[in-house]
Amino acid sequence: MIELLFLLLPIAAAYGWYMGHRSAKKDQEDISNKLSRDYVTGVNFLLSNQTEKAVDLFLDMLQKQEAENEIEKSSQFEAELTLGNLFRSRGEVDRALRIHQALDQSPDYSFEQKLLAKQQLIRDFMSVGFFDRAEALCIVLIDEPEFAEGALQQLSVIYQKTKEWKKAVNVAEKLAKISPQDDNIELAQFYCEYACTLSANGKEDKQALLRQALQVSPSCVRASILLGKEFMAREDYQSAVKIFENVLNQNADFVGEILSVLKECYTRLGQLDNFELFLIRASQTGNADVDLALADLIEKKDSRIAAQNKVYNQLKQHPGMVLYHRFIQYQIDDAEAGRARDSLVLLHKMVGERIRQGFSYRCINCGYQSHKLMWCCPSCRQWEKIKPNKGI
Ligand SMILES: [Zn+2]
């Protein structure tokens, strides 16, 4: 709604001129008062979230202005531009397109004004999915210093929608030069997306792309996982281990994602003791997957009692359903047949069902929940906002 309020500023400006002009020329204070009232009513509609009513009212005001041909040229341009934007905000994109295209082609307006019209045309085309036309206009605007950043941002949106990741990388690299960011999350994710499209025997170096991702965004867990898997494919398990273990430093929330591949690497290397050392370090973070993997190792190496004690101690420090489920299993194994054991079996089943129903991942930006890990939230379209639900 704030955006709509800003959108209405040109109307306010045009109307200020219109009202002053009308009242000075014809001394029609009653008309001015009516227009002022209309404008205030429109803003009040906006403030009370009645957007539809507000847009209708402003459209009516602008069309009345146009019909009476009372606006000076520069104000008319702004009013028409706004009129088009209002049509777009109401979903009438064909009318928005007609208005903005007429402004862009009119001999009455300057080069700079036409750039503004092009900027709105891009939004019109984007809203109806004509990405190729929006792209062509963005490419024109990139050469104009004042419009370059906005045009690159629109191009980035287009290439994400069309999944043209090489182009998305180029655009994000240019954007990073124009306005450097602290994290470069999008650029790193685009390197990863592009790397995923490359075939194993292609000309482009997949590893180099993933290293670039880590260079621009050192906390990019996805790049580490992909790079580790690349090393595994080449049977370079030592390098894979190094890169997988680094996930613990990058973002401990994601350590559950690398446990199975890390275990496989250590198994191939014949160094399961080192896997245990890693799990002991990682268990400080209270990740249930780590605790279960550690309990399995302890049971194999030492005894079931030792594994049970480990789970019990972890459960006291980091309570969670997954660990509790395992703990009940140990209790069932120890219990003698009878009502107490039957109750434990029932409880184990219920907790297991609850875990299965729960979502493993959740977007910290919009709350979207998922059973699988996604790097771009399908709901809010933000990158790296979906995180594992710890312990459920
Ligand atoms: Zn989201």
Side-chain angles (χ1 to χ4, degrees):
M1 195 189 67
I2 296 288
E3 193 187 323
L4 254 179
L5 276 172
F6 278 110
L7 197 102
L8 292 166
L9 286 177
I11 301 185
Y15 247 74
W17 180 88
Y18 175 64
M19 288 188 288
H21 185 70
R22 289 286 301 247
S23 47
K25 198 170 69 176
K26 298 179 184 171
D27 196 20
Q28 290 182 333
E29 282 185 16
D30 54 333
I31 291 179
S32 291
N33 288 339
K34 161 102 176 59
L35 296 173
S36 298
R37 278 201 305 278
D38 282 352
Y39 190 76
V40 171
T41 308
V43 171
N44 280 337
F45 277 144
L46 276 183
L47 292 175
S48 57
N49 274 334
Q50 300 183 67
T51 318
E52 277 290 311
K53 282 186 181 174
V55 171
D56 281 342
L57 187 71
F58 288 124
L59 278 176
D60 187 46
M61 286 163 71
L62 271 177
Q63 279 165 338
K64 205 186 291 170
Q65 255 178 303
E66 284 201 319
E68 296 186 16
N69 203 19
E70 287 280 359
I71 318 173
E72 66 179 4
K73 207 169 150 193
S74 66
S75 298
Q76 187 176 344
F77 176 83
E78 290 179 2
E80 296 232 6
L81 200 69
T82 306
L83 184 63
N85 294 352
L86 286 173
F87 277 128
R88 186 180 61 232
S89 75
R90 228 170 53 155
E92 295 180 61
V93 186
D94 51 338
R95 298 177 84 172
L97 273 168
R98 273 204 300 278
I99 292 172
H100 292 144
Q101 271 169 335
L103 290 177
D104 187 33
Q105 286 157 15
S106 168
D108 297 336
Y109 297 121
S110 66
F111 178 72
E112 284 71 24
Q113 284 175 314
K114 289 184 180 187
L115 292 179
L116 287 168
K118 284 186 178 66
Q119 202 178 34
Q120 295 309 321
L121 270 174
I122 291 170
R123 294 186 175 189
D124 298 338
F125 284 133
M126 295 279 288
S127 65
V128 284
F130 288 176
F131 298 126
D132 50 345
R133 295 197 186 181
E135 179 189 15
L137 286 169
C138 286
I139 288 167
V140 173
L141 291 189
I142 284 177
D143 294 330
E144 304 300 328
E146 278 184 41
F147 293 84
E149 190 175 344
L152 286 169
Q153 281 164 348
Q154 294 283 13
L155 276 177
S156 173
V157 175
I158 292 170
Y159 296 141
Q160 288 178 62
K161 283 190 187 288
T162 57
K163 301 193 183 302
E164 293 174 272
W165 299 113
K166 189 173 186 177
K167 288 181 178 180
V169 163
N170 289 338
V171 164
E173 282 175 342
K174 282 179 187 156
L175 264 174
K177 277 183 195 151
I178 292 178
S179 58
Q181 304 284 317
D182 291 338
D183 49 26
N184 287 314
I185 285 175
E186 284 203 352
L187 177 55
Q189 288 291 335
F190 296 166
Y191 280 129
C192 291
E193 288 285 354
Y194 182 40
C196 289
T197 65
L198 300 177
S199 62
N201 304 318
K203 280 183 191 169
E204 301 236 36
D205 190 345
K206 209 169 173 176
Q207 276 196 28
L209 281 170
L210 297 169
R211 286 190 192 284
Q212 267 177 294
L214 285 168
Q215 199 178 349
V216 298
S217 178
S219 64
C220 186
V221 169
R222 184 187 190 184
S224 293
I225 295 175
L226 290 171
L227 193 54
K229 286 180 178 172
E230 280 297 300
F231 285 129
M232 282 179 82
R234 291 160 196 236
E235 299 186 358
D236 182 357
Y237 298 109
Q238 204 63 56
S239 302
V241 157
K242 206 172 151 197
I243 201 94
F244 285 141
E245 288 201 348
N246 193 38
V247 170
L248 186 60
N249 306 322
Q250 288 178 305
N251 189 336
D253 290 347
F254 287 88
V255 78
E257 305 300 317
I258 51 101
L259 291 182
S260 61
V261 276
L262 186 62
K263 186 178 179 186
E264 191 184 332
C265 290
Y266 274 129
T267 306
R268 300 256 183 179
L269 290 166
Q271 299 173 3
L272 273 177
D273 284 352
N274 286 339
F275 182 52
E276 186 179 353
L277 288 176
F278 174 79
L279 291 175
I280 291 169
R281 269 195 295 137
S283 67
Q284 313 294 326
T285 62
N287 185 303
D289 292 332
V290 172
D291 293 333
L292 290 185
L294 193 53
D296 287 341
L297 266 189
I298 291 172
E299 188 173 336
K300 219 178 244 177
K301 247 183 75 175
D302 198 343
S303 67
R304 192 168 174 84
I305 295 287
Q308 193 171 343
N309 287 339
K310 180 73 192 165
V311 167
Y312 179 63
N313 287 332
Q314 283 298 104
L315 194 55
K316 278 197 293 186
Q317 284 179 46
H318 309 285
M321 299 282 269
V322 172
L323 220 49
Y324 184 49
H325 190 243
R326 171 66 68 92
F327 180 71
I328 304 168
Q329 181 61 56
Y330 289 140
Q331 300 303 306
I332 293 170
D333 296 345
D334 288 347
E336 288 178 13
R339 279 184 65 185
R341 190 178 186 279
D342 291 346
S343 299
L344 282 170
V345 170
L346 184 63
L347 184 63
H348 186 258
K349 198 177 161 193
M350 284 166 68
V351 173
E353 196 54 41
R354 174 72 186 79
I355 293 169
R356 268 187 294 281
Q357 284 171 2
F359 289 95
S360 305
Y361 302 93
R362 184 174 185 278
C363 174
I364 55 166
N365 185 49
C366 72
Y368 175 87
Q369 300 203 88
S370 163
H371 289 290
K372 65 170 190 170
L373 176 59
M374 285 177 275
W375 299 102
C376 182
C377 173
S379 174
C380 67
R381 312 301 307 166
Q382 298 282 306
W383 291 92
E384 293 188 17
K385 295 289 181 196
I386 292 186
K387 311 273 181 196
N389 272 335
K390 276 165 77 179
I392 305 181

